[in-house]
């Protein structure tokens, strides 16, 4: 039979229609591979599984019984009753229990089940290269009065995404956002009505101080607390709330702006309880998932109009923007620690898309740029602005650290002087 026309003839090959093909016996000589004997499938029978590994005994599946959960696998974390010797157990509350103050119900918290990595491990050489590249990007940088700066923590990324940028604390509820970072009402008993920013060279220094406080201070970043410190502050805050009996009044230090009220303590407790819930859920939280500080640079004008803002203190470059600051319209740069560049860029891509023009630059590059500029003899104005920024950064950091000490003393005073309430059972 001639082959089908779609198959070209091949010399030595005979085409056979499928209907004429019959199964052929597998005739493989047993001697084709030395030591191998071919056995038809129908002759194969299951063989018992005998151990060929010294010291190992094979047990049939039907003889295996479930193991007690009190014998954890070596790959499973021990139960809380038997903490790992490498992990400090979460401290238990040992203070007198009782209802919290009627005006402040205990916070209901849900800790995240997991958290994404925020840090990238860079070698010394790679870190240096990234910082040098950032310095190049800042070659023409000048902190003039048309620029605003605002520092916060990476904990704010979720809220920033919801709002599309920064919003005043008093407007957070309009966007279904709960404040999780920032100065807020740490030192005074009221949320700020605007977005407090630094303007120009003095404002840059002020924002840099807040950046470094977010990096260094447990008042701004509760994750910096040890377990024992966290437990002690939670215990103290609960005690104050439970026994508060000076409604409408505050604790205040003479010659100080620091003031302590019940709402402040309640807000602080919420932040502390959130951190504790996270630790309880993930006692072995990797260090590369911790929050990091970040500073935004944006313009006083988006090209179409000026932002509405009030001057709070021109002497230190502080202003309050009275409206939301949308990143898509106003954001120019973001400064973060060099090890957090990739995470910050990823967050911006999610918010603004991959074609945005916002630069993410190592904070270390900004520090180096200002230190280089302050000695710039060819450009006296640039040198003056750099020196002003660095000077105000040091002064602001010192002043805020002093306020932290004062507010800590007010917490201690309240805990020591409030009369104990007897719990109602």
């Amino acid at each position: 039979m001639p082959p089908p026309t779609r198959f070209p003839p091949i010399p030595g090959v005979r085409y056979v229609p499928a209907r004429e093909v019959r199964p052929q016996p597998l005739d493989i000589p047993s001697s084709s591979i030395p030591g191998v004997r071919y056995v038809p499938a129908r002759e194969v029978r299951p063989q018992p599984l005998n151990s060929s590994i010294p010291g190992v005994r094979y047990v049939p599946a039907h003889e295996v019984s479930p193991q007690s959960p009190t014998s954890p696998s070596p790959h499973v974390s021990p139960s809380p009753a038997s903490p790992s010797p490498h992990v400090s157990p979460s401290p238990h509350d040992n203070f007198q229990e009782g209802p919290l103050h009627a005006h402040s119900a205990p916070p209901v918290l849900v800790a995240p089940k997991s958290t994404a990595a925020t840090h990238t491990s860079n070698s010394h050489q790679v870190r240096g290269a990234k910082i040098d590249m950032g310095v190049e990007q800042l070659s023409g940088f000048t902190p003039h009065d048309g620029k605003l700066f605002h520092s916060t923590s990476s904990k704010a990324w979720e809220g920033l995404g919801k709002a599309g940028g920064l919003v005043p604390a008093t407007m957070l509820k309009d966007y279904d956002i709960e404040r999780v970072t920032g100065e807020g009402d740490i030192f005074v008993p009221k949320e700020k009505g605007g977005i407090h920013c630094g303007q120009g060279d003095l404002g840059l220094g002020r924002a840099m101080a807040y950046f470094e406080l977010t990096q260094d201070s447990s008042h701004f970043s509760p994750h910096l607390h040890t377990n024992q410190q966290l437990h002690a502050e939670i215990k103290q805050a609960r005690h104050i709330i439970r026994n508060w009996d000076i409604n409408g009044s505050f604790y205040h230090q003479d010659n100080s702006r620091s003031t302590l009220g019940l709402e402040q303590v309640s807000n602080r407790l919420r932040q502390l309880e959130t951190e504790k819930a996270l630790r309880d859920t993930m006692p072995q939280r990797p260090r590369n998932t911790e929050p990091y500080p970040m500073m935004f640079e944006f313009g006083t004008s988006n090209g179409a109009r000026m932002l509405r803002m009030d001057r709070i203190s021109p002497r230190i470059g502080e202003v309050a923007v009275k409206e939301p600051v949308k990143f898509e319209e106003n954001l120019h740069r973001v400064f973060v620690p060099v090890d957090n560049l990739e995470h910050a860029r990823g967050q911006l891509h999610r918010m603004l898309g991959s074609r945005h023009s916002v630069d993410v630059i190592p904070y270390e590059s900004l520090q180096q740029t200002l230190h280089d500029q302050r000695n710039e003899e060819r450009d006296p104005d640039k040198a003056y602005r750099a020196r002003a920024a660095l000077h105000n950064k040091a002064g602001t950091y010192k002043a805020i650290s002093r306020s932290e000490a004062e507010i800590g003393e007010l917490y201690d005073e309240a805990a020591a002087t409030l009369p104990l309430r007897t719990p109602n059972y």
Side-chain angles (χ1 to χ4, degrees), residues 226-257:
T226 65
N227 279 358
Q228 288 70 27
Q229 290 170 332
L230 180 65
H231 172 62
E233 193 173 346
I234 288 175
K235 175 182 176 181
Q236 184 186 63
R238 288 180 178 175
H239 171 84
I240 293 172
I241 293 171
R242 184 173 293 112
N243 296 289
W244 191 271
D245 69 342
I246 53 172
N247 292 334
S249 300
F250 305 92
Y251 281 87
H252 179 74
Q253 277 194 346
D254 294 336
N255 303 318
S256 167
R257 76 184 185 103

PDB file of all heavy atoms in Angstrom, residues 226-257:
ATOM      1  N   THR A 226      13.204  45.365  74.889  1.00  0.00           N
ATOM      2  CA  THR A 226      13.378  43.950  75.234  1.00  0.00           C
ATOM      3  C   THR A 226      12.039  43.430  75.754  1.00  0.00           C
ATOM      4  O   THR A 226      11.123  44.209  76.062  1.00  0.00           O
ATOM      5  CB  THR A 226      14.443  43.774  76.321  1.00  0.00           C
ATOM      6  OG1 THR A 226      13.976  44.407  77.531  1.00  0.00           O
ATOM      7  CG2 THR A 226      15.780  44.395  75.896  1.00  0.00           C
ATOM      8  N   ASN A 227      11.907  42.105  75.883  1.00  0.00           N
ATOM      9  CA  ASN A 227      10.670  41.538  76.427  1.00  0.00           C
ATOM     10  C   ASN A 227      10.372  42.107  77.808  1.00  0.00           C
ATOM     11  O   ASN A 227       9.228  42.436  78.129  1.00  0.00           O
ATOM     12  CB  ASN A 227      10.781  40.017  76.506  1.00  0.00           C
ATOM     13  CG  ASN A 227      10.506  39.358  75.170  1.00  0.00           C
ATOM     14  OD1 ASN A 227      10.203  40.030  74.194  1.00  0.00           O
ATOM     15  ND2 ASN A 227      10.638  38.053  75.114  1.00  0.00           N
ATOM     16  N   GLN A 228      11.400  42.219  78.632  1.00  0.00           N
ATOM     17  CA  GLN A 228      11.204  42.691  79.992  1.00  0.00           C
ATOM     18  C   GLN A 228      10.776  44.160  80.008  1.00  0.00           C
ATOM     19  O   GLN A 228       9.888  44.564  80.765  1.00  0.00           O
ATOM     20  CB  GLN A 228      12.493  42.503  80.805  1.00  0.00           C
ATOM     21  CG  GLN A 228      12.809  41.052  81.147  1.00  0.00           C
ATOM     22  CD  GLN A 228      13.230  40.242  79.925  1.00  0.00           C
ATOM     23  OE1 GLN A 228      13.756  40.803  78.953  1.00  0.00           O
ATOM     24  NE2 GLN A 228      13.023  38.935  79.973  1.00  0.00           N
ATOM     25  N   GLN A 229      11.390  44.982  79.160  1.00  0.00           N
ATOM     26  CA  GLN A 229      11.019  46.395  79.091  1.00  0.00           C
ATOM     27  C   GLN A 229       9.587  46.553  78.582  1.00  0.00           C
ATOM     28  O   GLN A 229       8.818  47.373  79.089  1.00  0.00           O
ATOM     29  CB  GLN A 229      11.983  47.140  78.173  1.00  0.00           C
ATOM     30  CG  GLN A 229      13.391  47.289  78.737  1.00  0.00           C
ATOM     31  CD  GLN A 229      14.375  47.808  77.704  1.00  0.00           C
ATOM     32  OE1 GLN A 229      14.204  47.597  76.493  1.00  0.00           O
ATOM     33  NE2 GLN A 229      15.420  48.479  78.163  1.00  0.00           N
ATOM     34  N   LEU A 230       9.231  45.772  77.571  1.00  0.00           N
ATOM     35  CA  LEU A 230       7.883  45.835  77.018  1.00  0.00           C
ATOM     36  C   LEU A 230       6.851  45.448  78.074  1.00  0.00           C
ATOM     37  O   LEU A 230       5.836  46.121  78.253  1.00  0.00           O
ATOM     38  CB  LEU A 230       7.775  44.915  75.804  1.00  0.00           C
ATOM     39  CG  LEU A 230       6.417  44.879  75.103  1.00  0.00           C
ATOM     40  CD1 LEU A 230       6.094  46.236  74.486  1.00  0.00           C
ATOM     41  CD2 LEU A 230       6.396  43.792  74.025  1.00  0.00           C
ATOM     42  N   HIS A 231       7.112  44.369  78.799  1.00  0.00           N
ATOM     43  CA  HIS A 231       6.191  43.910  79.833  1.00  0.00           C
ATOM     44  C   HIS A 231       6.035  44.961  80.926  1.00  0.00           C
ATOM     45  O   HIS A 231       4.921  45.243  81.380  1.00  0.00           O
ATOM     46  CB  HIS A 231       6.713  42.606  80.437  1.00  0.00           C
ATOM     47  CG  HIS A 231       5.942  42.157  81.639  1.00  0.00           C
ATOM     48  ND1 HIS A 231       4.610  41.829  81.591  1.00  0.00           N
ATOM     49  CD2 HIS A 231       6.325  41.994  82.939  1.00  0.00           C
ATOM     50  CE1 HIS A 231       4.198  41.478  82.792  1.00  0.00           C
ATOM     51  NE2 HIS A 231       5.217  41.577  83.630  1.00  0.00           N
ATOM     52  N   ALA A 232       7.144  45.570  81.338  1.00  0.00           N
ATOM     53  CA  ALA A 232       7.094  46.565  82.411  1.00  0.00           C
ATOM     54  C   ALA A 232       6.265  47.773  82.000  1.00  0.00           C
ATOM     55  O   ALA A 232       5.471  48.312  82.795  1.00  0.00           O
ATOM     56  CB  ALA A 232       8.510  46.978  82.796  1.00  0.00           C
ATOM     57  N   GLU A 233       6.418  48.236  80.749  1.00  0.00           N
ATOM     58  CA  GLU A 233       5.671  49.416  80.318  1.00  0.00           C
ATOM     59  C   GLU A 233       4.191  49.095  80.140  1.00  0.00           C
ATOM     60  O   GLU A 233       3.328  49.919  80.449  1.00  0.00           O
ATOM     61  CB  GLU A 233       6.264  49.988  79.024  1.00  0.00           C
ATOM     62  CG  GLU A 233       5.712  51.377  78.728  1.00  0.00           C
ATOM     63  CD  GLU A 233       6.379  52.053  77.551  1.00  0.00           C
ATOM     64  OE1 GLU A 233       7.440  51.583  77.097  1.00  0.00           O
ATOM     65  OE2 GLU A 233       5.826  53.076  77.095  1.00  0.00           O
ATOM     66  N   ILE A 234       3.864  47.891  79.643  1.00  0.00           N
ATOM     67  CA  ILE A 234       2.460  47.487  79.540  1.00  0.00           C
ATOM     68  C   ILE A 234       1.829  47.429  80.931  1.00  0.00           C
ATOM     69  O   ILE A 234       0.707  47.910  81.150  1.00  0.00           O
ATOM     70  CB  ILE A 234       2.348  46.122  78.832  1.00  0.00           C
ATOM     71  CG1 ILE A 234       2.662  46.270  77.342  1.00  0.00           C
ATOM     72  CG2 ILE A 234       0.946  45.532  79.004  1.00  0.00           C
ATOM     73  CD1 ILE A 234       2.694  44.952  76.588  1.00  0.00           C
ATOM     74  N   LYS A 235       2.539  46.848  81.867  1.00  0.00           N
ATOM     75  CA  LYS A 235       2.039  46.739  83.239  1.00  0.00           C
ATOM     76  C   LYS A 235       1.755  48.113  83.818  1.00  0.00           C
ATOM     77  O   LYS A 235       0.707  48.355  84.433  1.00  0.00           O
ATOM     78  CB  LYS A 235       3.066  45.999  84.093  1.00  0.00           C
ATOM     79  CG  LYS A 235       2.724  45.909  85.574  1.00  0.00           C
ATOM     80  CD  LYS A 235       3.826  45.204  86.328  1.00  0.00           C
ATOM     81  CE  LYS A 235       3.544  45.192  87.834  1.00  0.00           C
ATOM     82  NZ  LYS A 235       4.625  44.515  88.590  1.00  0.00           N
ATOM     83  N   GLN A 236       2.674  49.044  83.612  1.00  0.00           N
ATOM     84  CA  GLN A 236       2.510  50.391  84.144  1.00  0.00           C
ATOM     85  C   GLN A 236       1.323  51.096  83.493  1.00  0.00           C
ATOM     86  O   GLN A 236       0.514  51.741  84.178  1.00  0.00           O
ATOM     87  CB  GLN A 236       3.787  51.198  83.920  1.00  0.00           C
ATOM     88  CG  GLN A 236       3.746  52.599  84.523  1.00  0.00           C
ATOM     89  CD  GLN A 236       4.969  53.411  84.145  1.00  0.00           C
ATOM     90  OE1 GLN A 236       5.200  53.692  82.974  1.00  0.00           O
ATOM     91  NE2 GLN A 236       5.766  53.786  85.139  1.00  0.00           N
ATOM     92  N   ALA A 237       1.198  50.995  82.159  1.00  0.00           N
ATOM     93  CA  ALA A 237       0.103  51.664  81.455  1.00  0.00           C
ATOM     94  C   ALA A 237      -1.250  51.107  81.887  1.00  0.00           C
ATOM     95  O   ALA A 237      -2.212  51.862  82.101  1.00  0.00           O
ATOM     96  CB  ALA A 237       0.292  51.522  79.945  1.00  0.00           C
ATOM     97  N   ARG A 238      -1.352  49.800  82.040  1.00  0.00           N
ATOM     98  CA  ARG A 238      -2.614  49.207  82.494  1.00  0.00           C
ATOM     99  C   ARG A 238      -2.967  49.676  83.901  1.00  0.00           C
ATOM    100  O   ARG A 238      -4.129  49.948  84.219  1.00  0.00           O
ATOM    101  CB  ARG A 238      -2.510  47.682  82.459  1.00  0.00           C
ATOM    102  CG  ARG A 238      -2.511  47.081  81.061  1.00  0.00           C
ATOM    103  CD  ARG A 238      -2.400  45.578  81.139  1.00  0.00           C
ATOM    104  NE  ARG A 238      -2.447  44.956  79.824  1.00  0.00           N
ATOM    105  CZ  ARG A 238      -2.268  43.650  79.613  1.00  0.00           C
ATOM    106  NH1 ARG A 238      -2.011  42.854  80.641  1.00  0.00           N
ATOM    107  NH2 ARG A 238      -2.325  43.170  78.398  1.00  0.00           N
ATOM    108  N   HIS A 239      -1.963  49.756  84.741  1.00  0.00           N
ATOM    109  CA  HIS A 239      -2.188  50.218  86.118  1.00  0.00           C
ATOM    110  C   HIS A 239      -2.716  51.643  86.122  1.00  0.00           C
ATOM    111  O   HIS A 239      -3.671  51.972  86.855  1.00  0.00           O
ATOM    112  CB  HIS A 239      -0.877  50.128  86.909  1.00  0.00           C
ATOM    113  CG  HIS A 239      -0.937  50.776  88.259  1.00  0.00           C
ATOM    114  ND1 HIS A 239      -1.438  50.136  89.371  1.00  0.00           N
ATOM    115  CD2 HIS A 239      -0.586  52.031  88.670  1.00  0.00           C
ATOM    116  CE1 HIS A 239      -1.385  50.955  90.420  1.00  0.00           C
ATOM    117  NE2 HIS A 239      -0.859  52.098  90.016  1.00  0.00           N
ATOM    118  N   ILE A 240      -2.128  52.520  85.312  1.00  0.00           N
ATOM    119  CA  ILE A 240      -2.558  53.911  85.263  1.00  0.00           C
ATOM    120  C   ILE A 240      -3.993  54.010  84.763  1.00  0.00           C
ATOM    121  O   ILE A 240      -4.829  54.723  85.327  1.00  0.00           O
ATOM    122  CB  ILE A 240      -1.603  54.734  84.371  1.00  0.00           C
ATOM    123  CG1 ILE A 240      -0.217  54.825  85.030  1.00  0.00           C
ATOM    124  CG2 ILE A 240      -2.167  56.134  84.121  1.00  0.00           C
ATOM    125  CD1 ILE A 240       0.843  55.455  84.136  1.00  0.00           C
ATOM    126  N   ILE A 241      -4.321  53.296  83.692  1.00  0.00           N
ATOM    127  CA  ILE A 241      -5.671  53.346  83.125  1.00  0.00           C
ATOM    128  C   ILE A 241      -6.694  52.817  84.122  1.00  0.00           C
ATOM    129  O   ILE A 241      -7.775  53.402  84.307  1.00  0.00           O
ATOM    130  CB  ILE A 241      -5.726  52.533  81.813  1.00  0.00           C
ATOM    131  CG1 ILE A 241      -4.875  53.221  80.734  1.00  0.00           C
ATOM    132  CG2 ILE A 241      -7.159  52.369  81.331  1.00  0.00           C
ATOM    133  CD1 ILE A 241      -4.689  52.397  79.474  1.00  0.00           C
ATOM    134  N   ARG A 242      -6.355  51.742  84.802  1.00  0.00           N
ATOM    135  CA  ARG A 242      -7.296  51.114  85.733  1.00  0.00           C
ATOM    136  C   ARG A 242      -7.598  52.017  86.926  1.00  0.00           C
ATOM    137  O   ARG A 242      -8.708  52.009  87.463  1.00  0.00           O
ATOM    138  CB  ARG A 242      -6.723  49.772  86.212  1.00  0.00           C
ATOM    139  CG  ARG A 242      -7.652  48.984  87.116  1.00  0.00           C
ATOM    140  CD  ARG A 242      -7.076  47.609  87.409  1.00  0.00           C
ATOM    141  NE  ARG A 242      -7.056  46.821  86.186  1.00  0.00           N
ATOM    142  CZ  ARG A 242      -5.932  46.447  85.565  1.00  0.00           C
ATOM    143  NH1 ARG A 242      -4.766  46.779  86.048  1.00  0.00           N
ATOM    144  NH2 ARG A 242      -6.002  45.726  84.456  1.00  0.00           N
ATOM    145  N   ASN A 243      -6.641  52.813  87.328  1.00  0.00           N
ATOM    146  CA  ASN A 243      -6.802  53.591  88.556  1.00  0.00           C
ATOM    147  C   ASN A 243      -6.939  55.099  88.323  1.00  0.00           C
ATOM    148  O   ASN A 243      -6.914  55.871  89.276  1.00  0.00           O
ATOM    149  CB  ASN A 243      -5.599  53.330  89.477  1.00  0.00           C
ATOM    150  CG  ASN A 243      -5.520  51.887  89.923  1.00  0.00           C
ATOM    151  OD1 ASN A 243      -6.321  51.424  90.718  1.00  0.00           O
ATOM    152  ND2 ASN A 243      -4.554  51.151  89.373  1.00  0.00           N
ATOM    153  N   TRP A 244      -7.084  55.498  87.075  1.00  0.00           N
ATOM    154  CA  TRP A 244      -7.169  56.933  86.764  1.00  0.00           C
ATOM    155  C   TRP A 244      -8.412  57.531  87.430  1.00  0.00           C
ATOM    156  O   TRP A 244      -9.535  57.043  87.253  1.00  0.00           O
ATOM    157  CB  TRP A 244      -7.252  57.121  85.255  1.00  0.00           C
ATOM    158  CG  TRP A 244      -7.080  58.541  84.817  1.00  0.00           C
ATOM    159  CD1 TRP A 244      -8.067  59.483  84.677  1.00  0.00           C
ATOM    160  CD2 TRP A 244      -5.857  59.187  84.454  1.00  0.00           C
ATOM    161  NE1 TRP A 244      -7.540  60.670  84.254  1.00  0.00           N
ATOM    162  CE2 TRP A 244      -6.172  60.531  84.110  1.00  0.00           C
ATOM    163  CE3 TRP A 244      -4.530  58.781  84.390  1.00  0.00           C
ATOM    164  CZ2 TRP A 244      -5.217  61.450  83.710  1.00  0.00           C
ATOM    165  CZ3 TRP A 244      -3.573  59.694  84.004  1.00  0.00           C
ATOM    166  CH2 TRP A 244      -3.909  61.008  83.656  1.00  0.00           C
ATOM    167  N   ASP A 245      -8.244  58.594  88.201  1.00  0.00           N
ATOM    168  CA  ASP A 245      -9.379  59.202  88.907  1.00  0.00           C
ATOM    169  C   ASP A 245      -9.369  60.718  88.810  1.00  0.00           C
ATOM    170  O   ASP A 245      -9.959  61.403  89.639  1.00  0.00           O
ATOM    171  CB  ASP A 245      -9.372  58.781  90.384  1.00  0.00           C
ATOM    172  CG  ASP A 245      -8.215  59.400  91.153  1.00  0.00           C
ATOM    173  OD1 ASP A 245      -7.252  59.847  90.502  1.00  0.00           O
ATOM    174  OD2 ASP A 245      -8.280  59.437  92.399  1.00  0.00           O
ATOM    175  N   ILE A 246      -8.694  61.247  87.798  1.00  0.00           N
ATOM    176  CA  ILE A 246      -8.624  62.709  87.664  1.00  0.00           C
ATOM    177  C   ILE A 246      -9.161  63.104  86.299  1.00  0.00           C
ATOM    178  O   ILE A 246      -8.500  63.751  85.500  1.00  0.00           O
ATOM    179  CB  ILE A 246      -7.182  63.232  87.867  1.00  0.00           C
ATOM    180  CG1 ILE A 246      -6.194  62.479  86.939  1.00  0.00           C
ATOM    181  CG2 ILE A 246      -6.754  63.095  89.304  1.00  0.00           C
ATOM    182  CD1 ILE A 246      -4.797  63.097  86.964  1.00  0.00           C
ATOM    183  N   ASN A 247     -10.400  62.693  86.023  1.00  0.00           N
ATOM    184  CA  ASN A 247     -11.005  62.960  84.720  1.00  0.00           C
ATOM    185  C   ASN A 247     -10.948  64.445  84.384  1.00  0.00           C
ATOM    186  O   ASN A 247     -11.290  65.302  85.199  1.00  0.00           O
ATOM    187  CB  ASN A 247     -12.453  62.492  84.710  1.00  0.00           C
ATOM    188  CG  ASN A 247     -12.555  60.981  84.798  1.00  0.00           C
ATOM    189  OD1 ASN A 247     -11.635  60.280  84.398  1.00  0.00           O
ATOM    190  ND2 ASN A 247     -13.666  60.481  85.327  1.00  0.00           N
ATOM    191  N   GLY A 248     -10.515  64.732  83.172  1.00  0.00           N
ATOM    192  CA  GLY A 248     -10.423  66.106  82.724  1.00  0.00           C
ATOM    193  C   GLY A 248      -9.159  66.809  83.152  1.00  0.00           C
ATOM    194  O   GLY A 248      -8.943  67.963  82.798  1.00  0.00           O
ATOM    195  N   SER A 249      -8.311  66.127  83.902  1.00  0.00           N
ATOM    196  CA  SER A 249      -7.062  66.722  84.360  1.00  0.00           C
ATOM    197  C   SER A 249      -5.882  65.959  83.775  1.00  0.00           C
ATOM    198  O   SER A 249      -6.040  64.882  83.192  1.00  0.00           O
ATOM    199  CB  SER A 249      -6.986  66.705  85.886  1.00  0.00           C
ATOM    200  OG  SER A 249      -8.055  67.444  86.445  1.00  0.00           O
ATOM    201  N   PHE A 250      -4.698  66.534  83.960  1.00  0.00           N
ATOM    202  CA  PHE A 250      -3.497  65.952  83.372  1.00  0.00           C
ATOM    203  C   PHE A 250      -2.352  66.038  84.365  1.00  0.00           C
ATOM    204  O   PHE A 250      -2.353  66.848  85.287  1.00  0.00           O
ATOM    205  CB  PHE A 250      -3.106  66.700  82.091  1.00  0.00           C
ATOM    206  CG  PHE A 250      -4.196  66.785  81.068  1.00  0.00           C
ATOM    207  CD1 PHE A 250      -5.060  67.871  81.032  1.00  0.00           C
ATOM    208  CD2 PHE A 250      -4.355  65.787  80.140  1.00  0.00           C
ATOM    209  CE1 PHE A 250      -6.070  67.945  80.096  1.00  0.00           C
ATOM    210  CE2 PHE A 250      -5.361  65.859  79.192  1.00  0.00           C
ATOM    211  CZ  PHE A 250      -6.230  66.942  79.173  1.00  0.00           C
ATOM    212  N   TYR A 251      -1.385  65.183  84.146  1.00  0.00           N
ATOM    213  CA  TYR A 251      -0.115  65.323  84.854  1.00  0.00           C
ATOM    214  C   TYR A 251       0.770  66.228  84.013  1.00  0.00           C
ATOM    215  O   TYR A 251       0.861  66.069  82.786  1.00  0.00           O
ATOM    216  CB  TYR A 251       0.561  63.968  85.044  1.00  0.00           C
ATOM    217  CG  TYR A 251      -0.027  63.154  86.183  1.00  0.00           C
ATOM    218  CD1 TYR A 251      -1.121  62.330  85.980  1.00  0.00           C
ATOM    219  CD2 TYR A 251       0.507  63.237  87.464  1.00  0.00           C
ATOM    220  CE1 TYR A 251      -1.668  61.591  87.016  1.00  0.00           C
ATOM    221  CE2 TYR A 251      -0.027  62.503  88.511  1.00  0.00           C
ATOM    222  CZ  TYR A 251      -1.116  61.692  88.283  1.00  0.00           C
ATOM    223  OH  TYR A 251      -1.650  60.970  89.311  1.00  0.00           O
ATOM    224  N   HIS A 252       1.429  67.162  84.671  1.00  0.00           N
ATOM    225  CA  HIS A 252       2.219  68.138  83.930  1.00  0.00           C
ATOM    226  C   HIS A 252       3.454  68.512  84.741  1.00  0.00           C
ATOM    227  O   HIS A 252       3.398  68.616  85.968  1.00  0.00           O
ATOM    228  CB  HIS A 252       1.395  69.400  83.650  1.00  0.00           C
ATOM    229  CG  HIS A 252       2.128  70.464  82.907  1.00  0.00           C
ATOM    230  ND1 HIS A 252       2.408  70.366  81.562  1.00  0.00           N
ATOM    231  CD2 HIS A 252       2.660  71.645  83.311  1.00  0.00           C
ATOM    232  CE1 HIS A 252       3.078  71.439  81.170  1.00  0.00           C
ATOM    233  NE2 HIS A 252       3.248  72.229  82.223  1.00  0.00           N
ATOM    234  N   GLN A 253       4.565  68.694  84.044  1.00  0.00           N
ATOM    235  CA  GLN A 253       5.797  69.140  84.694  1.00  0.00           C
ATOM    236  C   GLN A 253       5.979  70.637  84.478  1.00  0.00           C
ATOM    237  O   GLN A 253       5.720  71.151  83.387  1.00  0.00           O
ATOM    238  CB  GLN A 253       7.020  68.399  84.129  1.00  0.00           C
ATOM    239  CG  GLN A 253       7.274  67.040  84.759  1.00  0.00           C
ATOM    240  CD  GLN A 253       8.669  66.533  84.393  1.00  0.00           C
ATOM    241  OE1 GLN A 253       9.308  67.057  83.500  1.00  0.00           O
ATOM    242  NE2 GLN A 253       9.127  65.522  85.098  1.00  0.00           N
ATOM    243  N   ASP A 254       6.402  71.317  85.530  1.00  0.00           N
ATOM    244  CA  ASP A 254       6.696  72.741  85.390  1.00  0.00           C
ATOM    245  C   ASP A 254       7.848  72.943  84.415  1.00  0.00           C
ATOM    246  O   ASP A 254       8.757  72.114  84.311  1.00  0.00           O
ATOM    247  CB  ASP A 254       7.063  73.335  86.752  1.00  0.00           C
ATOM    248  CG  ASP A 254       5.887  73.329  87.716  1.00  0.00           C
ATOM    249  OD1 ASP A 254       4.738  73.308  87.229  1.00  0.00           O
ATOM    250  OD2 ASP A 254       6.116  73.322  88.947  1.00  0.00           O
ATOM    251  N   ASN A 255       7.788  74.052  83.688  1.00  0.00           N
ATOM    252  CA  ASN A 255       8.842  74.409  82.729  1.00  0.00           C
ATOM    253  C   ASN A 255       9.035  73.330  81.651  1.00  0.00           C
ATOM    254  O   ASN A 255      10.135  73.081  81.188  1.00  0.00           O
ATOM    255  CB  ASN A 255      10.168  74.655  83.444  1.00  0.00           C
ATOM    256  CG  ASN A 255      10.048  75.742  84.497  1.00  0.00           C
ATOM    257  OD1 ASN A 255       9.408  76.768  84.262  1.00  0.00           O
ATOM    258  ND2 ASN A 255      10.650  75.511  85.658  1.00  0.00           N
ATOM    259  N   SER A 256       7.934  72.670  81.285  1.00  0.00           N
ATOM    260  CA  SER A 256       8.018  71.617  80.270  1.00  0.00           C
ATOM    261  C   SER A 256       6.727  71.592  79.481  1.00  0.00           C
ATOM    262  O   SER A 256       5.650  71.898  80.008  1.00  0.00           O
ATOM    263  CB  SER A 256       8.252  70.257  80.936  1.00  0.00           C
ATOM    264  OG  SER A 256       8.044  69.206  80.000  1.00  0.00           O
ATOM    265  N   ARG A 257       6.821  71.247  78.212  1.00  0.00           N
ATOM    266  CA  ARG A 257       5.617  71.108  77.392  1.00  0.00           C
ATOM    267  C   ARG A 257       4.986  69.733  77.546  1.00  0.00           C
ATOM    268  O   ARG A 257       3.876  69.506  77.089  1.00  0.00           O
ATOM    269  CB  ARG A 257       5.949  71.339  75.910  1.00  0.00           C
ATOM    270  CG  ARG A 257       6.665  70.189  75.211  1.00  0.00           C
ATOM    271  CD  ARG A 257       7.031  70.542  73.787  1.00  0.00           C
ATOM    272  NE  ARG A 257       7.604  69.413  73.067  1.00  0.00           N
ATOM    273  CZ  ARG A 257       6.936  68.683  72.174  1.00  0.00           C
ATOM    274  NH1 ARG A 257       5.680  68.960  71.907  1.00  0.00           N
ATOM    275  NH2 ARG A 257       7.535  67.677  71.547  1.00  0.00           N
TER     276      ARG A 257
END
